């Protein structure tokens, strides 16, 4: 496990893009799991820019989303599928046949999760799982207290996650449940790149830095991964304030 700390979010995104470019250079058909949220936006801009200059191709890569809202079809503007299309997939040369997006509107969401898992297997497993960090330590939509043995499954989103989404989108009508890749699948990825940036994440980072697996902080399930690289904003390294502690306790 390695930590790299950044004052400058653009430098963090640049390093993440370098890792992805190196992987694709070595293995053009790599299978990569992609996060949503604020965290990866700068990375996706950087990847799109590198594609525009001819420095990067995603044409052979298998791209997977990590999670999706239950009940939102991919064409819904608030879906994570739409987010990924708008911010990355439609801006690069991704092959639609190799883009695998969880179907939030499936009549059988458990089957949709299983189909997503099968697509990961068919691609030979994940070469790289790119993860964001939730304020409550979630990775993908694996919320505090979840099992670390799971594959794709349907989840009830934690109140901290819902509050964050309300704050980010200004919308109170987003689904309270989601579909997610499971922790077991993420731990089997050959490499894990955890991106940690944004406010309200010092408690989650403190749990990770404590260095012990703790079911209340799903991100700590990655601590034993043999190839985990954490790229984090320097401000998340500062000691917790009492307010952070209270937020963490509120879940
Ligand atoms: O980057 P943000 O917006 O802080 O979100 C962190 C994490 O939370 C999620 O948005 C899910 O709530 C993930 O997709 C993301 O990795």
């Amino acid at each position: 496990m390695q930590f790299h700390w950044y004052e400058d979010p653009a430098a963090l995104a640049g390093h993440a893009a370098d890792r992805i470019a190196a992987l694709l250079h070595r293995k053009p058909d790599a299978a990569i799991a992609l996060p949503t949220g604020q965290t990866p936006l700068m990375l996706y801009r950087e990847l799109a820019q590198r594609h525009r200059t001819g420095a990067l191709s995603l044409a052979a890569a298998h791209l997977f989303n990590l999670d999706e809202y239950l009940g939102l079809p991919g064409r819904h503007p608030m879906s994570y599928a739409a987010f990924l299309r708008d911010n990355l997939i439609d801006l690069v040369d991704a092959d639609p046949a190799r883009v695998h997006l969880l179907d939030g509107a499936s009549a059988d969401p458990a089957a949709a999760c299983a189909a997503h898992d099968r697509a990961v297997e068919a691609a030979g497993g994940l070469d790289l799982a790119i993860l964001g960090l939730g304020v409550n330590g979630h990775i993908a939509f694996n919320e505090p207290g979840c099992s670390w043995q799971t594959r794709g499954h349907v989840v009830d989103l934690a109140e901290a996650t819902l509050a964050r989404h309300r704050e980010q989108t200004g919308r109170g009508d987003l689904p309270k449940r989601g579909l997610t890749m499971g922790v077991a699948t993420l731990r089997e990825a050959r490499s894990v790149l955890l991106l940690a940036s944004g406010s309200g994440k010092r408690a989650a980072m403190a749990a990770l830095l404590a260095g012990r697996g703790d079911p209340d902080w799903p991100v700590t399930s990655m601590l034993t991964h043999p190839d985990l690289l954490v790229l984090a904003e320097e401000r998340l390294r500062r000691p917790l304030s009492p307010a952070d502690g209270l937020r963490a306790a509120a879940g």
Side-chain angles (χ1 to χ4, degrees):
M1 173 179 41
Q2 278 187 56
F3 282 82
H4 291 238
W5 301 94
Y6 296 87
E7 291 285 357
D8 175 10
L12 189 162
H15 186 166
D18 289 345
R19 297 285 291 208
I20 295 161
L23 169 63
L24 290 168
H25 184 70
R26 202 171 66 247
K27 188 175 182 190
D29 62 346
I32 303 175
L34 298 165
T36 48
Q38 294 296 308
T39 304
L41 282 175
M42 227 178 239
L43 165 64
Y44 294 161
R45 272 200 292 276
E46 176 69 22
L47 293 175
Q49 169 66 14
R50 291 185 191 199
H51 168 67
R52 273 194 300 277
T53 62
L56 184 88
S57 171
L58 286 147
H62 293 272
L63 303 175
F64 296 85
N65 62 351
L66 287 171
D67 46 14
E68 181 57 279
Y69 284 117
L70 179 65
L72 294 193
R75 63 180 183 283
H76 191 288
M78 297 309 290
S79 71
Y80 283 1
F83 175 97
L84 278 181
R85 278 199 308 272
D86 293 349
N87 291 292
L88 181 67
I89 290 166
D90 288 352
L91 308 180
V92 295
D93 56 349
D95 173 358
R98 290 169 183 242
V99 172
H100 311 273
L101 299 172
L102 279 158
D103 179 6
S106 168
D108 186 346
C113 292
H116 203 55
D117 285 339
R118 279 197 303 278
V120 169
E121 273 170 42
L126 293 174
D127 292 291
L128 178 66
I130 307 172
L131 304 176
L133 177 63
V135 285
N136 60 358
H138 76 211
I139 46 173
F141 271 156
N142 293 283
E143 297 284 24
C146 68
S147 161
W148 294 0
Q149 315 304 327
T150 49
R151 308 262 156 212
H153 60 290
V154 177
V155 292
D156 292 327
L157 299 178
E159 184 43 44
T161 301
L162 297 170
R164 181 76 164 193
H165 292 179
R166 279 195 298 273
E167 182 189 309
Q168 283 175 338
T169 63
R171 293 179 65 138
D173 60 347
L174 292 170
K176 294 187 163 54
R177 303 184 79 201
L179 289 69
T180 187
M181 273 193 194
V183 171
T185 307
L186 298 174
R187 274 156 59 103
E188 283 168 11
R190 284 180 273 284
S191 298
V192 176
L193 183 57
L194 174 69
L195 308 178
S197 66
S199 61
K201 302 197 182 169
R202 273 189 287 171
M205 183 53 77
L208 192 65
L209 289 171
R212 277 188 320 276
D214 179 342
D216 286 340
W217 298 95
V219 68
T220 64
S221 64
M222 295 296 141
L223 280 166
T224 52
H225 192 283
D227 185 15
L228 168 65
L229 174 62
V230 182
L231 305 182
E233 267 187 80
E234 178 66 38
R235 62 176 164 156
L236 301 184
R237 181 144 69 151
R238 288 184 208 126
L240 282 175
S241 67
D244 285 318
L246 284 175
R247 255 198 302 276

